[in-house]
Amino acid sequence: MVDHSFADLALAALYDSINPWGPDDDFYLDLVRSAGSVLDVGCGTGRLLARAAADGHPGRLTGLDPAAAMLVQARRRAPGVEWVLGDLRCQRWQGDFELVVMTGHAFQTLLDDEELRTALRAVRSALGADGRFVFETRNPAARAWERWTPDRVHEVTDADGRTVRVWHEVEGAGPAGDRVTFTETYDRPGWPRPRSSRATLRFLPPARLTDFLTEAGLRVAERYGDWDRGPLTETSPEIITVAAPGR
């Protein structure tokens, strides 16, 4: 299921304004630059691979995303990159890539155990023998959802110079098990009413992530708690995992 904010052309066009380039993008760009072939799962508007292509990356760059509206932005940005509509359930690669990444907390949209297992098996299949799979999830111990409240309004400027107001609201009393459901609302002058999307994210602790990776034939090679490659602690905002094919 594609999140409404990614399927709507108007909201997809706002994505990069709402999520500007940051330390996480720099982290992944360094990895992409050093890999000869890269698959970006959930590539969104394609800015990571587009930046690598603009910098002269000489190898294969492939972006995969289930939202056609996001790929419209990606193709406009970098028509020379291979953009694929779909997800890991419908695409099959066999040892094609040195690096597979899932950025922007895309990993957290894999909600069900079997969906997650299927995705990880597909990633394992796509990796070469010395490949790496790198992704991040929000650390559940940091309880980021407690800051997703309507009073925390974020304002950005769109391509036309208009101010867009964005806010979040968690449904219910908070997490239901390891899942958090919330709405993201956008309001801009000229719209007859605000636009909202509803999403659910899964917050898995490190041990559970490791279990799923091991089951798929992957091992944890490195793990960090922030984009400066600091150690993972109880209060770290992120769980950044570098996984490799199991030995």
Side-chain angles (χ1 to χ4, degrees):
M1 182 68 69
V2 179
D3 187 293
H4 174 65
S5 63
F6 301 152
D8 185 306
L9 280 170
L11 297 184
L14 291 172
Y15 181 86
D16 289 341
S17 296
I18 296 169
N19 302 279
W21 189 276
D24 55 331
D25 299 287
D26 289 330
F27 176 92
Y28 283 108
L29 183 59
D30 284 343
L31 297 173
V32 171
R33 284 171 171 161
S34 63
S37 51
V38 182
L39 173 63
D40 184 357
V41 178
C43 63
T45 63
R47 67 183 179 189
L48 175 64
L49 297 187
R51 177 72 70 88
D55 289 347
H57 189 285
R60 180 182 181 184
L61 299 174
T62 302
L64 175 69
D65 202 280
M70 298 295 265
L71 291 185
V72 167
Q73 308 298 318
R75 291 188 177 109
R76 287 173 179 168
R77 171 175 272 150
V81 172
E82 178 186 7
W83 304 112
V84 180
L85 179 64
D87 59 32
L88 288 169
R89 293 171 297 181
C90 60
Q91 297 293 329
R92 291 291 181 266
W93 288 282
Q94 296 293 329
D96 290 51
F97 299 99
E98 293 179 20
L99 176 68
V100 177
V101 298
M102 290 185 75
T103 71
H105 304 106
F107 190 91
Q108 290 185 255
T109 65
L110 300 170
L111 301 180
D112 300 323
D113 286 358
E114 194 52 41
E115 179 185 20
L116 181 52
R117 291 186 178 106
T118 298
L120 290 176
R121 286 194 296 265
V123 167
R124 174 64 185 88
S125 176
L127 285 175
D130 296 319
R132 292 292 183 269
F133 172 43
V134 187
F135 66 97
E136 89 285 343
T137 68
R138 297 176 181 87
N139 185 0
R143 304 180 65 84
W145 59 83
E146 293 181 346
R147 298 182 290 279
W148 298 349
T149 56
D151 59 297
R152 295 173 181 259
V153 177
H154 178 48
E155 292 189 349
V156 299
T157 302
D158 68 11
D160 298 321
R162 290 175 292 191
T163 298
V164 182
R165 303 174 72 248
V166 186
W167 63 93
H168 303 83
E169 185 169 8
V170 174
E171 291 188 2
D178 57 17
R179 294 164 176 79
V180 175
T181 299
F182 64 98
T183 56
E184 185 171 38
T185 303
Y186 312 79
D187 194 13
R188 186 180 75 176
W191 286 353
R193 65 185 64 84
R195 303 185 185 192
S196 293
S197 66
R198 181 175 181 268
T200 300
L201 298 178
R202 190 174 188 184
F203 288 76
L204 288 171
R208 285 287 284 147
L209 289 170
T210 298
D211 288 344
F212 279 113
L213 289 167
T214 301
E215 185 179 344
L218 295 161
R219 61 181 175 83
V220 176
E222 301 168 68
R223 186 164 269 163
Y224 309 112
D226 59 47
W227 300 112
D228 292 324
R229 292 178 168 81
L232 176 63
T233 68
E234 184 72 14
T235 58
S236 297
E238 305 286 350
I239 305 169
I240 303 164
T241 300
V242 180
R247 300 299 184 187

